[in-house]
């Protein structure tokens, strides 16, 4: 990146400090030496006079950095196809002093709120909003809106004509190929043609300021959806003259999320003239763009359906890019939950809203609820959404075209064919089907978390665990047969589409993982239950290893493997490996029905699977790789172990070497000491310090060096 005089651009810390920058990307060496890596960034317009009050959220640096674009770069090359002519003066983003008419009167306020006492019990829902607006405080006052109010150039630089073409292609491919999205695709796809019309002239400098100010002004207003709104007119509330930053950020998030599940040579990245986009840079751009949109919207306290959809998809996008153990993913999920509560997503509306909108909210809430329980289990933290305070129902098991029909007779006929629980009776798997079944398993998971994370041990813990285990089993048996992976088993992959099989496996692993967590809790307090924990761990391991049997597996499926193994297999695999080690050293058989040969074979296959399918570009790659190395070392120790009585009687050196085990070696940087007993492994895994910023090669180099020093000392 160069300045107008042709000289390389300096990073902001070096520029402000009058230090000669070496221009290294993504973080210059000067900033590394000064220990301010997190502040090192290259601003596209550092001398802009009307700066925003706070810089937009920037993605956490990884091996690539989101690109910014200079004015005058050609629009035809892949390195800058997202660029837009940057104006010499980019207006800043300010808080708007809203009038009562534009205040956030649509925020959800429950029966215990300060405003409820002022409501008339018999008033119309619209009256509630009017009454609330008089009580809810306005946002902090800022600059007068008659001043030039714009948005950061990082967003507008991604809205060129060629960029819009890529986004449209990505969104259409995503909604056509996915079978488990929480979003109703047509509601978003119908907005794309109008958005192209709205943004076609944004590259013209004379329209820049006015267009950005208009979008920001729309975003500052509350998004009100009338009861008479239809699916075909829904997009008019946030496109055309009502264009908002939420929908633009949502497009960025979906496009980036879809790009993560297609190979680098996919036609999605093809440009006119034979040029091709870099996949990783494109995804980084989409994270940056959606983060910037979220930041602008949060400045204006935006709480609406589009904002919730944007934050949720952005959390998914970041989890795949940075890894699920990245704190920013948890923080972004918290942002989404806060918005969902404020919008009343956790409760069924006591007043009439369009049918399609109620179903859209049910779908998104079901997905957020399930993701929350998965992340809470993964981190060992209390969930963000408490089911006991939620009355939101599961979505009806209907196809999207049925949801969006304006033919009342067709809709009523489809609803009449559902059973009493809301499942379709045609034996068909819809997008809502997956959302419903995973929401059901998440309800069980929340109750397991309540028992696992309680501050004090429940005196009736054993009885409660038994009851919950039975309830988990009955709930699974009551699911429709065509949704149960254990009914098909391996035959599933020969008779059903691969993506359907993968989703069925996800659902079954959710069910088994709840049982695993219950047995884990039971063994923590009742050591004699170890065999049950090992058996359920072996079940999880066995069912996941079916993935290794699939040949010619599509790239889209393989990108799911890291999450599956990390969430559902590695904790149990660690318990199995350490129990195998203990029994080997003590010369005892494995507890229960687990066979030693089967366990060694399955652990070997798991190690091989992890080495082959977890790509470096996956955010969970580092964590999976570290845990996989640990499994391999433990397994090597088991296979190489020789009883002391059979060791050679030379000078004792062989005996010394035999006594060197995985647990005796110096630890890798950033890791806590590993317990040698399986019952302590899971607690160690919960509290292990997995630092995403540690360079893997540096860690392994340190580990190998320490290993060589140890061996040299012994020889």
């Amino acid at each position: 990146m160069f300045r107008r005089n042709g000289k390389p651009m300096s990073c902001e810390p070096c520029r402000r400090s009058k230090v000669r920058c070496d221009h290294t990307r993504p973080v210059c060496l000067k900033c590394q030496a000064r220990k301010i890596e997190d502040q090192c960034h290259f601003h596209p317009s550092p001398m802009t006079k009307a700066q925003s009050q706070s810089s937009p959220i920037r993605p956490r640096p990884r091996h690539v950095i989101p690109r910014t674009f200079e004015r005058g770069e050609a629009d035809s090359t892949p390195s800058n196809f997202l660029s837009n002519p940057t104006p010499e003066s980019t207006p800043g983003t300010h808080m708007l002093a809203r009038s009562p008419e534009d205040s956030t009167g649509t925020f959800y306020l429950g029966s215990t709120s300060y405003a409820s006492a002022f409501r008339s019990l018999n008033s119309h829902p619209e009256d509630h909003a009017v009454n609330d607006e008089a009580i809810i405080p306005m946002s902090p006052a800022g600059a007068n809106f008659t001043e030039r109010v714009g948005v950061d150039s990082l967003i507008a630089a991604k809205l060129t004509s060629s960029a819009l073409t890529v986004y449209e292609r990505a969104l259409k491919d995503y909604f056509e190929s996915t079978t488990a999205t929480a979003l109703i695709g047509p509601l978003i796809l119908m907005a794309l043609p109008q958005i192209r019309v709205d943004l076609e002239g944004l590259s013209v400098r004379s329209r820049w300021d006015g267009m950005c100010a208009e979008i920001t002004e729309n975003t500052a207003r509350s998004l009100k959806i009338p009861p008479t709104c239809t699916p075909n007119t829904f997009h008019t509330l946030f496109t055309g003259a009502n264009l908002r930053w939420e929908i633009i950020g949502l497009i960025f998030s979906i496009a980036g999320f879809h790009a993560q599940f297609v190979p680098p040579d996919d036609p999605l990245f093809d440009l006119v003239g034979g040029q091709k986009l870099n996949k990783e840079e494109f995804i980084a751009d989409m994270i940056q763009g959606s983060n910037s949109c979220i930041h602008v919207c949060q400045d204006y306290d935006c709480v609406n359906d589009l904002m919730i959809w944007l934050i949720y998809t952005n959390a998914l996008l970041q989890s795949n890019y940075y890894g699920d153990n990245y704190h920013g993913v948890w923080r972004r999920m918290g942002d989404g939950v806060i918005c969902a509560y404020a919008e009343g997503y956790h409760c069924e509306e006591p007043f009439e809203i369009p049918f399609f909108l109620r179903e859209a909210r049910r779908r998104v809430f079901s997905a957020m609820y399930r993701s929350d329980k998965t992340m809470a289990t993964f981190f060992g933290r209390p969930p963000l959404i408490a089911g006991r305070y939620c009355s939101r129902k599961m979505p009806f098991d209907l196809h999207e075209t049925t949801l969006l029909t304006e033919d009342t007779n067709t809709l009523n006929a489809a609803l009449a064919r559902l059973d009493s629980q809301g499942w379709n009776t045609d034996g068909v798997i819809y997008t809502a089907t997956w959302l419903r079944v995973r929401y059901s398993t998440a309800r069980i998971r929340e109750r397991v978390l309540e028992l696992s994370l309680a501050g004090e041990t429940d005196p009736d813990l054993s009885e409660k665990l038994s009851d919950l285990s039975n309830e988990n089993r009955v709930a699974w048996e009551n699911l429709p047969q065509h949704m149960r992976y254990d009914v098909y088993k391996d035959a599933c992959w020969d008779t059903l589409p691969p993506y359907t099989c993968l989703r069925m496996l996800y659902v079954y692993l959710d069910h088994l993982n709840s049982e695993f967590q219950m047995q884990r809790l039971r063994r923590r307090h009742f050591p004699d239950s170890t065999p049950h924990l090992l058996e359920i761990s072996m079940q999880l391991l066995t069912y996941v290893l079916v993935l290794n049997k699939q040949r010619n597996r599509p790239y889209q499926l393989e990108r799911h493997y890291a999450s599956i193994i990390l969430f559902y297999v590695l904790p149990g695999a660690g318990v199995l490996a350490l129990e195998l080690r203990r029994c080997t050293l003590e010369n005892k058989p494995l507890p229960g029905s687990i066979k030693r040969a089967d366990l060694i074979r399955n652990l070997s296959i798991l190690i091989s699977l992890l080495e082959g399918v977890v790509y470096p570009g996956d955010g969970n790659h580092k964590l999976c790789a570290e845990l996989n190395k640990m499994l391999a070392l433990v397994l090597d120790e088991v296979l190489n172990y020789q009883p002391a009585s059979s060791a050679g009687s030379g000078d004792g050196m062989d005996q010394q070497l035999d006594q060197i085990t995985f647990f005796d070696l110096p630890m890798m940087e950033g890791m806590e000491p590993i317990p040698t007993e399986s019952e302590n492994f899971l607690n160690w895994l919960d509290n292990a310090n997995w630092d995403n910023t540690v360079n893997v090669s540096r860690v392994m180099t340190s580990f190998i060096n320490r290993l060589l020093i140890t061996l040299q000392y012994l020889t």
Side-chain angles (χ1 to χ4, degrees):
M1 183 184 297
F2 297 91
R3 301 186 315 207
R4 294 181 182 178
N5 60 8
K7 295 183 179 180
M9 179 174 289
S10 300
C11 71
E12 284 301 283
C14 291
R15 184 186 66 82
R16 290 193 296 265
S17 302
K18 308 299 182 183
V19 175
R20 184 184 296 275
C21 182
D22 59 20
H23 318 295
T24 302
R25 303 296 183 91
V27 179
C28 77
L29 299 179
K30 293 291 181 66
C31 288
Q32 293 182 34
R34 296 162 63 191
K35 307 295 185 182
I36 55 172
E37 295 93 333
D38 58 332
Q39 301 178 30
C40 183
H41 68 283
F42 294 80
H43 198 288
S45 303
M47 301 305 294
T48 300
K49 295 181 179 180
Q51 292 290 343
S52 117
Q53 290 181 349
S54 59
S55 60
I57 301 173
R58 296 189 300 114
R60 181 180 179 179
R62 200 176 56 161
H63 58 282
V64 296
I65 187 168
R67 295 172 291 115
T68 54
F69 306 98
E70 285 297 288
R71 184 183 179 190
E73 293 177 331
D75 185 59
S76 59
T77 59
S79 63
N80 55 26
F81 94 110
L82 297 176
S83 65
N84 214 24
T86 305
E88 295 180 358
S89 178
T90 303
T93 304
H94 304 283
M95 295 298 294
L96 172 66
R98 303 186 209 177
S99 65
E101 291 75 19
D102 291 329
S103 66
T104 51
T106 56
F107 284 175
Y108 174 84
L109 295 173
S111 59
T112 63
S113 71
Y114 60 88
S116 62
F118 298 93
R119 289 175 175 166
S120 170
L121 295 177
N122 298 320
S123 63
H124 189 272
E126 293 182 356
D127 297 332
H128 286 218
V130 173
N131 292 337
D132 291 344
E133 286 178 355
I135 309 168
I136 299 176
M138 293 186 293
S139 299
N144 191 307
F145 203 76
T146 58
E147 298 180 1
R148 297 173 63 191
V149 179
V151 70
D152 193 279
S153 60
L154 294 175
I155 304 176
K158 298 169 173 57
L159 300 176
T160 61
S161 178
S162 54
L164 291 173
T165 300
V166 176
Y167 304 153
E168 290 170 348
R169 189 161 59 219
L171 266 65
K172 290 177 182 177
D173 290 348
Y174 172 70
F175 286 114
E176 288 177 0
S177 61
T178 187
T179 58
T181 177
L183 305 177
I184 300 178
L187 292 179
I188 300 171
L189 293 177
M190 282 189 286
L192 295 182
Q194 182 60 50
I195 291 177
R196 174 175 281 278
V197 173
D198 298 337
L199 299 177
E200 278 291 352
L202 190 57
S203 60
V204 179
R205 180 179 173 185
S206 60
R207 291 198 56 198
W208 182 288
D209 291 351
M211 187 64 162
C212 290
E214 182 180 345
I215 298 174
T216 304
E217 185 176 3
N218 292 335
T219 303
R221 300 192 187 100
S222 60
L223 179 63
K224 298 181 180 180
I225 304 175
T228 56
C229 181
T230 65
N232 292 328
T233 60
F234 178 65
H235 72 275
T236 63
L237 301 177
F238 48 85
T239 60
N242 300 314
L243 185 62
R244 305 172 67 96
W245 289 121
E246 295 101 308
I247 185 61
I248 294 175
L250 183 59
I251 291 174
F252 290 155
S253 291
I254 298 175
F257 183 72
H258 176 65
Q260 293 174 324
F261 290 90
V262 297
D265 58 349
D266 190 86
L268 171 66
F269 305 110
D270 293 341
L271 298 177
V272 178
Q275 303 290 345
K276 200 169 186 67
L277 284 170
N278 179 282
K279 173 182 173 178
E280 290 297 316
E281 291 182 354
F282 175 77
I283 296 172
D285 274 319
M286 296 301 96
I287 294 176
Q288 186 183 54
S290 57
N291 279 346
S292 297
C293 288
I294 291 174
H295 179 74
V296 173
C297 293
Q298 287 176 334
D299 275 350
Y300 295 97
D301 284 345
C302 294
V303 176
N304 52 58
D305 294 277
L306 290 178
M307 186 64 176
I308 295 170
W309 302 353
L310 165 58
I311 294 178
Y312 176 68
T313 53
N314 177 271
L316 298 179
L317 175 61
Q318 292 201 55
S319 70
N320 287 327
Y321 191 78
Y322 298 121
D324 292 291
N325 59 323
Y326 171 43
H327 179 68
V329 176
W330 178 270
R331 184 173 60 245
R332 184 64 82 203
M333 187 66 70
D335 291 340
V337 172
I338 290 172
C339 281
Y341 280 150
E343 187 66 9
Y345 261 51
H346 59 297
C347 298
E348 287 289 310
E349 292 82 4
F351 48 86
E352 183 180 357
I353 66 170
F355 176 79
F356 77 89
L357 182 60
R358 176 176 282 121
E359 285 300 302
R361 291 177 175 177
R362 288 176 175 177
R363 291 185 176 212
V364 173
F365 180 78
S366 296
M368 292 181 66
Y369 180 87
R370 194 273 309 170
S371 296
D372 174 53
K373 302 305 170 290
T374 301
M375 295 298 292
T377 303
F378 178 65
F379 282 112
R381 300 171 182 171
L384 301 170
I385 302 177
R388 67 180 64 187
Y389 301 114
C390 303
S391 63
R392 178 67 67 179
K393 298 179 181 178
M394 288 194 295
F396 287 122
D397 194 7
L398 297 173
H399 193 272
E400 283 77 5
T401 55
T402 304
L403 290 180
L404 302 180
T405 182
E406 297 185 21
D407 185 345
T408 306
N409 294 330
T410 300
L411 178 60
N412 290 336
L415 292 173
R417 290 196 300 272
L418 301 177
D419 66 14
S420 59
Q421 302 299 318
W423 297 98
N424 80 77
T425 56
D426 301 326
V428 182
I429 299 178
Y430 299 127
T431 299
T433 312
W434 301 118
L435 295 172
R436 287 174 58 88
V437 70
R438 299 200 74 181
Y439 178 81
S440 299
T441 57
R443 295 295 297 268
I444 298 291
R445 184 85 59 84
E446 181 178 12
R447 295 173 60 186
V448 176
L449 284 168
E450 289 180 359
L451 295 175
S452 300
L453 303 180
E456 299 179 359
T457 303
D458 194 316
D460 300 324
L461 179 62
S462 179
E463 182 179 353
K464 288 184 177 180
L465 285 173
S466 297
D467 293 342
L468 189 54
S469 179
N470 289 331
E471 186 176 340
N472 186 39
R473 176 182 54 81
V474 172
W476 177 255
E477 293 173 350
N478 288 337
L479 285 178
Q481 293 290 304
H482 63 280
M483 292 292 299
R484 291 178 51 179
Y485 185 87
D486 58 332
V487 173
Y488 291 90
K489 296 186 178 179
D490 289 357
C492 172
W493 300 92
D494 299 326
T495 58
L496 297 175
Y499 242 113
T500 301
C501 296
L502 183 70
R503 294 297 173 186
M504 292 178 68
L505 181 60
Y506 260 120
V507 169
Y508 190 47
L509 293 177
D510 280 338
H511 163 70
L512 291 179
N513 188 259
S514 293
E515 186 64 30
F516 169 76
Q517 296 297 337
M518 283 186 273
Q519 294 302 330
R520 173 185 178 181
L521 179 59
R522 185 186 295 276
R523 205 273 296 270
R524 188 185 305 165
H525 298 281
F526 310 102
D528 59 343
S529 61
T530 296
H532 299 290
L533 177 62
L534 297 181
E535 289 172 5
I536 191 64
S537 298
M538 192 68 169
Q539 274 187 278
L540 284 165
L541 177 59
T542 302
Y543 274 106
V544 168
L545 290 183
V546 71
L547 299 175
N548 193 57
K549 301 178 182 179
Q550 310 311 312
R551 301 305 176 205
N552 300 320
R553 45 194 178 230
Y555 181 91
Q556 292 88 336
L557 262 66
E558 290 193 350
R559 278 306 303 263
H560 288 271
Y561 288 2
S563 297
I564 290 176
I565 294 172
L566 181 61
F567 279 95
Y568 301 111
V569 180
L570 284 177
V575 171
L576 290 168
L578 291 179
E579 190 65 23
L580 174 65
R581 176 186 181 275
R582 183 187 68 82
C583 293
T584 299
L585 296 179
E586 297 178 2
N587 195 23
K588 295 180 180 179
L590 287 165
S593 60
I594 305 297
K595 296 181 179 179
R596 175 185 171 87
D598 291 341
L599 178 54
I600 292 177
R601 185 184 308 110
N602 287 347
L603 288 176
S604 300
I605 296 173
L606 175 63
I607 292 170
S608 176
L609 180 63
L610 273 168
E611 292 174 348
V613 302
V614 182
Y615 300 111
D618 192 296
N620 289 320
H621 175 265
K622 178 183 181 296
L623 185 53
C624 286
E626 297 295 348
L627 292 172
N628 197 35
K629 294 183 185 77
M630 291 163 48
L631 283 179
L633 289 171
V634 173
L635 189 58
D636 287 345
E637 182 185 347
V638 169
L639 295 175
N640 295 328
Y641 175 75
Q642 293 183 1
S645 58
S646 63
S649 59
D651 59 0
M653 187 60 61
D654 292 339
Q655 293 181 2
Q656 283 183 296
L657 291 175
D658 286 339
Q659 294 172 359
I660 300 176
T661 69
F662 166 72
F663 300 93
D664 298 323
L665 297 176
M667 292 309 303
M668 289 180 279
E669 291 184 43
M671 284 196 178
E672 304 294 335
I674 304 174
T676 60
E677 301 298 332
S678 61
E679 57 264 27
N680 298 324
F681 172 75
L682 290 170
N683 292 330
W684 171 86
L685 188 64
D686 287 340
N687 299 314
N689 180 22
W690 300 109
D691 185 1
N692 254 4
T693 64
V694 177
N695 183 276
V696 177
S697 62
R698 178 167 56 83
V699 171
M700 289 310 300
T701 300
S702 175
F703 175 81
I704 293 173
N705 289 338
R706 295 184 186 189
L707 175 59
L708 293 175
I709 292 172
T710 303
L711 293 177
Q712 183 179 9
Y713 171 80
L714 291 175
T715 57

